[in-house]
Structures are given as C-alpha cells and as structure tokens.
C-alpha cells in the first residue's frame, strides 16, 4: 500500500468515525448494507474509468452508455426476446464495440479523447431516448425473473452481490493492471506515449484495449444498475456518472496526465465518495449538493496531484527548483 492509499484509508476512517458520532444511523446494518450496494454499483465503472485515465485519456460517455445499454437490456429481458444470459452477452458485446470505436478514433485517427467521448455522451444519450421514444423503460407489472434478480440485486449472508461482483472485478483488473505485461505497457503509454512507441510498444493496441476494457466493464455496471433501479428514464438515467468515476479515480491517485494510479486507490476513492454522499444524506444536507461535493473532490484531487508532482520534480536531479 502506497502512502497515497494509506492516507486515503486514514481519511475514510476519520470521516466515517465523525459521521457515526454525529449520526449513529451511519453504522446501522441497513445503512451499511445500502452503502455497500452503492459501492459495488458505482465501483465497477469507476475501476473501468481508471484504465483510460492511466492511459492518458478520458471517458466522458459513461453515464450515457449506462443509459443506452440499460434500456436495451431491460427491453430484451422484459419482452422475453431472449434469455437474461443472452441479453447480458448482447449488452457486453455492445459495450466492447463502443470501446473499440472510441479506441480506433483516438489511436488511429488521432482525435482527442475528450472530443470522441463527449460526442459519445451525446450520441448514446440521444440513441437511448430514441430507442424508447423518450418513455421510461421498465419491467411489466408482476414480471419476475428470480434468478436474474438474485444474481444482480440479491445478497449472500447480508453482503450485496453487487459488492461481491465489484470485488471480483477488482481482483481481476488489479492483476491485469499491476501484474501483466499489458499493465506495464499501459503505464508506459500514459507516462509518455511517444517514448513507449520508440520502445517497441504497440501504443495503438494498448489504447484500444484500455477503452474496450472501460466500456465493457461499464456495460456490466449498466446491467446491475438497471436491475437495481428496475426502471430507466433515458433522459436522466446515469447523468453525471462519469463525474463520479473520474472523482473516484482522481481521489485514488490516478493522475489526469496519465501514467499513474492503482486499483486499490480507486476502490478507496469509491468508498470515500460513498461515505461523503452518505454524510450529506444523514445530515439532512440538500441532495442537490451531491454534485458540488463531487466537483470539489475532483478539484482538490487535481490540486493535490499537481502539488505532489511539483514536489517530486524538485527532489529529482535536473528537476525544477
């Protein structure tokens, strides 16, 4: 565990303790279970965002992808078009295709990640609204899918399955990022893409893979969130989720310049954000301030990252004084 991660863990413990003292309901079994469920739901696409940020990019279409793939999944399952397993495979495949398209536009055509994913945000949101004719998508009254509901929204000895899925994904993605050749290449590309290319790394392949992983995991999150909400309003479902993912990644030590970050840090960032949002709810602070909290967190994280980088540069030979 790095110093950043350790500091974040201490901050979570301090904030959690203060909230518990102010309002004991924070440590009630119901509140802890609900918080754990939200950590799982939001954590999946936060880990996904970390991969593109480490590559030196950004993915702004997360919320719109969740909305579009969510209505597609609900429509396929609710209408009995295909089985839930096939619907999940379709949604996952669509997510990976979106990531492939983003990666190709960025790596092969040289378009800025901000522009590509911002266009994706608009396109997918519009497609979701067109797909449902701007109506709310949901399951018919009385419709029941016991196995699907248990897998996505059930609990194992009180532990939400969303959290279990998040932890399993975290372990796999942690191995890929920190223990595989691809992970080393991803950090190298994020640090200096030109130098990585001269070192023999296929930078285009690395960038494309990062976006496929990101959008693929976001598709998984879309299914869990769709089953959690049970209904989807395409005009608002998933709004600003990309900000949550970026905030969690930045809090977890991912530099927006690329080349830095850890899966453990992102997990801690997700936990801290959920604790902060829980604090807002328990203290009776207007929920409209949730976005203000996230914006402040991103700003503080970027400022801290900049200051730490400057301090590191002054300590290295040849760094600025």
């Amino acid at each position: 565990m790095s110093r950043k991660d350790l500091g974040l863990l201490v901050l979570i413990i301090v904030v959690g303790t203060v909230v518990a003292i102010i309002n004991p309901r924070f440590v009630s079994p119901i509140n802890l279970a609900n918080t754990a469920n939200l950590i799982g739901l939001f954590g999946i696409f936060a880990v996904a965002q970390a991969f593109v940020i480490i590559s030196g990019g950004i993915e702004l279409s997360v919320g719109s992808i969740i909305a579009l793939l969510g209505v597609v999944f609900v429509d396929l399952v609710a209408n009995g078009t295909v089985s839930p397993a096939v619907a999940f495979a379709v949604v996952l495949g669509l997510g990976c295709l979106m990531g492939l398209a983003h990666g190709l536009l960025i790596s092969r055509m040289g378009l800025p990640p901000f522009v590509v994913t911002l266009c994706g945000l608009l396109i997918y949101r519009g497609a979701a609204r067109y797909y449902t004719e701007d109506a709310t998508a949901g399951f018919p009254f009385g419709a029941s899918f016991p196995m699907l509901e248990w897998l996505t929204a059930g609990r194992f000895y009180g532990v939400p399955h969303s959290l279990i899925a998040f932890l399993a994904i975290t372990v796999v993605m942690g191995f890929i990022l920190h223990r595989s050749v691809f992970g080393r290449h991803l950090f190298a590309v994020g640090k200096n893409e030109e130098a990585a290319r001269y070192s023999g790394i296929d930078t285009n392949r690395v960038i494309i893979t990062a976006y496929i992983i990101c959008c693929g995991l976001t598709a998984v999150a879309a299914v869990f969130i769709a089953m959690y909400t049970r209904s989807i309003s395409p005009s608002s479902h998933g709004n600003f989720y990309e900000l949550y993912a970026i905030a969690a990644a930045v809090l977890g030590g991912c530099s927006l310049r690329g080349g830095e970050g850890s899966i453990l840090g992102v997990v801690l960032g997700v936990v801290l954000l959920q604790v902060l949002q829980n604090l807002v709810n328990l203290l009776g602070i207007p929920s409209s301030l949730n976005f203000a909290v996230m914006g402040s967190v991103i700003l503080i994280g970027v400022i801290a990252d900049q200051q730490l980088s400057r301090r590191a540069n002054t300590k290295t030979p040849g760094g600025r004084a």
Side-chain angles (χ1 to χ4, degrees):
M1 181 179 287
S2 67
R3 288 185 178 180
K4 283 185 180 180
D5 296 342
L6 183 60
L8 198 53
L9 178 61
V10 171
L11 181 59
I12 291 171
I13 294 173
V14 171
V15 172
T17 302
V18 171
V19 177
I21 293 174
I22 296 175
N23 193 329
R25 284 188 300 167
F26 176 75
V27 293
S28 66
I30 294 177
N31 186 64
L32 291 177
N34 289 335
T35 301
N37 184 43
L38 292 174
I39 288 173
L41 293 175
F42 286 82
I44 294 174
F45 63 81
V47 167
Q49 182 75 235
F51 273 79
V52 296
I53 290 179
I54 290 172
S55 74
I58 197 77
E59 180 55 80
L60 298 177
S61 62
V62 166
S64 296
I65 290 175
I66 288 174
L68 176 57
L69 297 185
V71 297
V72 169
F73 180 79
V74 169
D75 182 59
L76 291 176
V77 174
N79 293 329
T81 307
V82 295
S83 68
V86 174
F88 175 77
V90 170
V91 166
L92 181 60
L94 288 174
C96 292
L97 285 175
M98 292 173 179
L100 176 62
H102 293 183
L104 288 173
L105 289 171
I106 292 166
S107 63
R108 300 292 185 181
M109 298 189 67
L111 298 179
F114 182 90
V115 173
V116 171
T117 58
L118 178 61
C119 291
L121 180 152
L122 299 173
I123 293 170
Y124 303 143
R125 179 69 62 183
R129 298 181 67 174
Y130 178 80
Y131 187 89
T132 63
E133 297 181 351
D134 227 4
T136 298
F139 294 96
F141 180 76
S144 178
F145 304 91
M147 181 57 68
L148 175 62
E149 292 168 0
W150 182 82
L151 286 172
T152 55
R155 296 181 180 182
F156 181 75
Y157 289 101
V159 181
H161 287 171
S162 60
L163 181 64
I164 295 174
F166 169 51
L167 294 176
I169 289 172
T170 296
V171 171
V172 175
M173 293 299 108
F175 178 83
I176 291 174
L177 184 62
H178 300 294
R179 301 295 180 185
S180 71
V181 174
F182 168 76
R184 291 194 293 273
H185 289 177
L186 185 68
F187 279 106
V189 170
K191 205 72 175 179
N192 190 321
E193 183 178 347
E194 187 175 357
R197 186 181 297 111
Y198 284 130
S199 298
I201 297 175
D202 187 345
T203 56
N204 289 338
R205 180 181 61 83
V206 171
I207 292 172
I208 292 171
T209 304
Y211 279 91
I212 291 175
I213 290 174
C214 179
C215 294
L217 289 180
T218 301
V220 175
V223 172
F224 275 91
I225 294 172
M227 293 305 299
Y228 171 69
T229 60
R230 301 285 295 179
S231 65
I232 299 172
S233 175
S235 62
S236 60
H237 186 79
N239 273 350
F240 300 106
Y241 279 14
E242 53 277 347
L243 294 184
Y244 186 99
I246 294 170
V250 170
L251 263 180
C254 292
S255 172
L256 291 175
R257 293 185 302 273
E260 296 179 22
S262 72
I263 294 297
L264 177 59
V266 177
V267 172
L268 294 174
V270 171
V271 173
L272 179 57
L273 278 181
Q274 280 303 327
V275 170
L276 290 174
Q277 290 199 340
N278 203 237
L279 178 149
V280 169
N281 295 330
L282 291 176
L283 297 184
I285 300 173
S287 59
S288 55
L289 287 176
N290 279 343
F291 295 127
V293 171
M294 281 192 285
S296 300
V297 165
I298 294 174
L299 179 61
I300 293 171
V302 171
I303 291 174
D305 175 66
Q306 187 179 50
Q307 295 302 316
L308 289 172
S309 296
R310 286 179 177 176
R311 185 175 299 178
N313 286 336
T314 60
K315 291 182 180 180
T316 55
R320 290 176 294 181

